[in-house]
Amino acid sequence: MIIKQLSVFLENKTGRLTELTGILADNDINISAFSIADTADYGILRMIVGRPELAAEVLKNNGFTVKITDVVGMIIPHSPGGLHKALQIISSNNVAIDYMYAFASGECKATVVIRAESLKKIIDVLQEHKMELLREGDVYQV
Amino acid sequence: MIWNRHFECMEREELQKLQGNRLKEMVKRVYDSVPFYRNKLQEEGIEPDDIMSIDDLNKLPFTTKQDLRDNYPFGMFAVPQPDIVRFHASSGTTGKSTVVGYTHNDVQMWSEVVARSLTMAGVTKADIIQVAYGYGLFTGGLGLHYGAEKVGASVIPISGGNTKKQLQLMEDFGSTVIACTPSYAAYIGESLVEEKIDRSKIKLKAGIFGAEPWTQEMRTQIEQVLGIKAYDIYGLTEIIGPGVSMECHFQHGMHIFEDHFIPEIVNPETGEVLPYGELGELVFTPVTKEAMPLIRYRTRDLTRLHAEKCECGRTLVRMEKCVGRTDDMLIIRGVNVFPSQVESVLLEMSETKPHYLIVVDRDNNLDRMEIQVEIEEAFFSDEVKELEGLRQRLKANIASTLGISAVIRLVEPGTIERSMGKAKRVIDKRHLH
């Protein structure tokens, strides 16, 4: 149930992100989702890609600071109240979330990528409440 | 091992007598042959005969870098040009370079002190030494080269740069000793890891590093990555080049070869001579130099001297690692800051690399210091709170060490320019001069 996210340290320099997307494109790696946490000087790019190990390797070879982070992908209905219901389950079970970002996949579903203090606990809680989770096999193609 | 037991282990009283005799002779010589010194001594009302012993040294005036610049190129020479066999020039850490000449005997003396230095690091004729200091006007390459040949070691005169080749020869020739700047040694270490070279194929056991300031933490790091013992060598072109002083394996400071170079520590403001153990500016009088003897040359290096006999048996005075240079020193918001202090903070923290750049600027008449720091790849966290926590810790450590606050900017590993020679650590945009 754990999926691999690519985290990249990026200095705030014009063109740095473009350099990165160029390398991924050249290596035929698809980006399914991404978000950037930004501060004044640098950003942390987090993304779900096809073939994360290969992506990490090619980026490292090109001088990027890369790390593979474990995250959970939660599938919720793409309709009003969908996210609210999921978050209620998580917070009422006292699971602390470090960060999350979401993307809609198709007409009726959305995926929320979550990094939590304890991934095991959040997976247990969500499964207990019959929430649908992304499996590693299908995630990189979402 | 001691290369020249007679001079390196001489009783101090006997040594001082020797220094006094050499000083007397040298003052006479410069008075007769260097117009600059004759005028200067006459101005001060000093006759060569006033100098009777080493105790009279502090009667003599200082010589500064500016004096050497004013007498560019050959004005300080005490011998006619045909007696000069070699020129070197200072690397110009600050401003215009200064020219130094050597007679045949000067080159012999230099080889002798470098041979003594190498012997302190355990180098023998059985060693293969890779001299990765730059060859040329800079004294590092040729200085180490001649000394190593005098010891009888096998010299690889590879000079600085071309790191791939450095690693290849290190592996193929089986180099046992490397001599270069500490920042280049750190870079070679990084490359060794990057190129995934099997450490068991590297036979290095010792490194001889100098020509720029470095810290104890940097030493530890270089020693670990290269699997060697790292020795500190000190020297400056104006005095001879590398080999003015060197650490023995006890590493209680660098032994100054006092039979050739008489050291003093003075208050940099007043010029007053300070006792052993006190921090001040290092001053040298190279009494045996023929081509360019200097009287009380102000090195602008700040350090302390210790005179107790070393465990190694040498009686020579030891100088501590320089804490900075009077002219390296940045004055930021009225506080004296040395780049070496920043380096020591970074090296104490495992999350950062010792590669940094200090950028000083002035904003609304207020000095602003920014320190760019490379994060260590292994410690990269993808959570903002972790990285910001690291930045806060760095900021706090810098503030407590330096006494002033700085803006910390985390940058990607490998983005701060690496140097093959002396590292550039400071950009001062204030244009105060």
Side-chain angles (χ1 to χ4, degrees), chain B residues 23-74:
Chain B
L23 177 68
K24 254 162 66 179
E25 185 278 327
M26 181 265 232
V27 172
K28 269 198 190 74
R29 195 152 45 87
V30 297
Y31 191 88
D32 291 341
S33 52
V34 185
F36 165 80
Y37 276 125
R38 187 167 47 246
N39 295 338
K40 195 154 180 164
L41 291 177
Q42 281 171 351
E43 269 170 36
E44 305 267 334
I46 300 167
E47 288 296 317
D49 287 343
D50 297 340
I51 307 303
M52 306 293 290
S53 76
I54 189 71
D55 297 329
D56 297 322
L57 179 61
N58 63 11
K59 290 181 184 163
L60 293 164
F62 292 114
T63 307
T64 64
K65 181 102 176 169
Q66 191 57 45
D67 293 329
L68 305 194
R69 287 194 186 123
D70 293 345
N71 289 281
Y72 177 91
F74 304 154

Side-chain angles (χ1 to χ4, degrees), chain A residues 11 16 41-42 46 65 99, chain B residues 380 382 388 391 412-413:
Chain A
E11 263 176 70
R16 191 63 176 147
D41 301 328
Y42 60 86
R46 301 163 184 144
T65 306
Y99 58 78
Chain B
F380 164 53
D382 79 332
E388 287 303 294
R391 197 152 80 147
E412 295 181 29

Side-chain angles (χ1 to χ4, degrees), chain A residues 11 23 27 47 79 138 142:
Chain A
E11 263 176 70
I23 292 163
N27 285 278
M47 57 187 172
S79 57
D138 45 45
V142 286

Side-chain angles (χ1 to χ4, degrees), chain A residues 33-79:
Chain A
F34 84 90
S35 87
I36 294 180
D38 67 310
T39 72
D41 301 328
Y42 60 86
I44 300 166
L45 171 67
R46 301 163 184 144
M47 57 187 172
I48 306 293
V49 299
R51 297 181 291 167
E53 272 89 7
L54 173 70
E57 197 187 316
V58 296
L59 289 177
K60 268 184 194 169
N61 290 343
N62 281 281
F64 283 91
T65 306
V66 188
K67 185 179 170 173
I68 289 181
T69 320
D70 290 341
V71 292
V72 173
M74 173 176 74
I75 298 166
I76 55 170
H78 187 6
S79 57

Side-chain angles (χ1 to χ4, degrees), chain B residues 3 7-8 112-120 257 259-260:
Chain B
W3 178 260
F7 288 109
E8 294 179 70
E112 156 77 19
V113 291
V114 175
R116 291 184 193 175
S117 305
L118 291 170
T119 306
M120 281 195 201
F257 300 115
D259 48 327
H260 296 291

Side-chain angles (χ1 to χ4, degrees), chain B residues 182-289:
Chain B
S183 56
Y184 191 47
Y187 182 73
I188 289 178
E190 270 182 21
S191 310
L192 190 80
V193 174
E194 256 165 42
E195 303 278 323
K196 298 191 177 69
I197 292 172
D198 182 0
R199 276 266 291 277
S200 66
K201 288 185 179 154
I202 300 293
K203 298 206 174 69
L204 281 186
K205 59 172 194 190
I208 292 156
F209 306 126
E212 65 183 11
W214 53 310
T215 55
Q216 189 56 41
E217 292 82 1
M218 193 163 170
R219 185 204 303 263
T220 312
Q221 203 162 55
I222 293 171
E223 287 186 334
Q224 277 169 0
V225 68
L226 289 177
I228 58 170
K229 188 169 169 85
Y231 291 88
D232 205 351
I233 190 167
Y234 173 87
L236 60 170
T237 310
E238 298 90 317
I239 300 305
I240 192 81
V244 171
S245 68
M246 171 79 185
E247 236 169 26
C248 67
H249 65 279
F250 289 102
Q251 302 190 320
H252 294 157
M254 293 169 278
H255 291 285
I256 297 171
F257 300 115
E258 289 175 278
D259 48 327
H260 296 291
F261 320 112
I262 305 178
E264 295 171 277
I265 292 288
V266 305
N267 178 323
E269 315 272 307
T270 64
E272 173 205 359
V273 178
L274 300 175
Y276 288 132
E278 281 195 32
L279 181 67
E281 181 178 349
L282 185 59
V283 171
F284 278 114
T285 304
V287 276
T288 55
K289 274 266 283 292

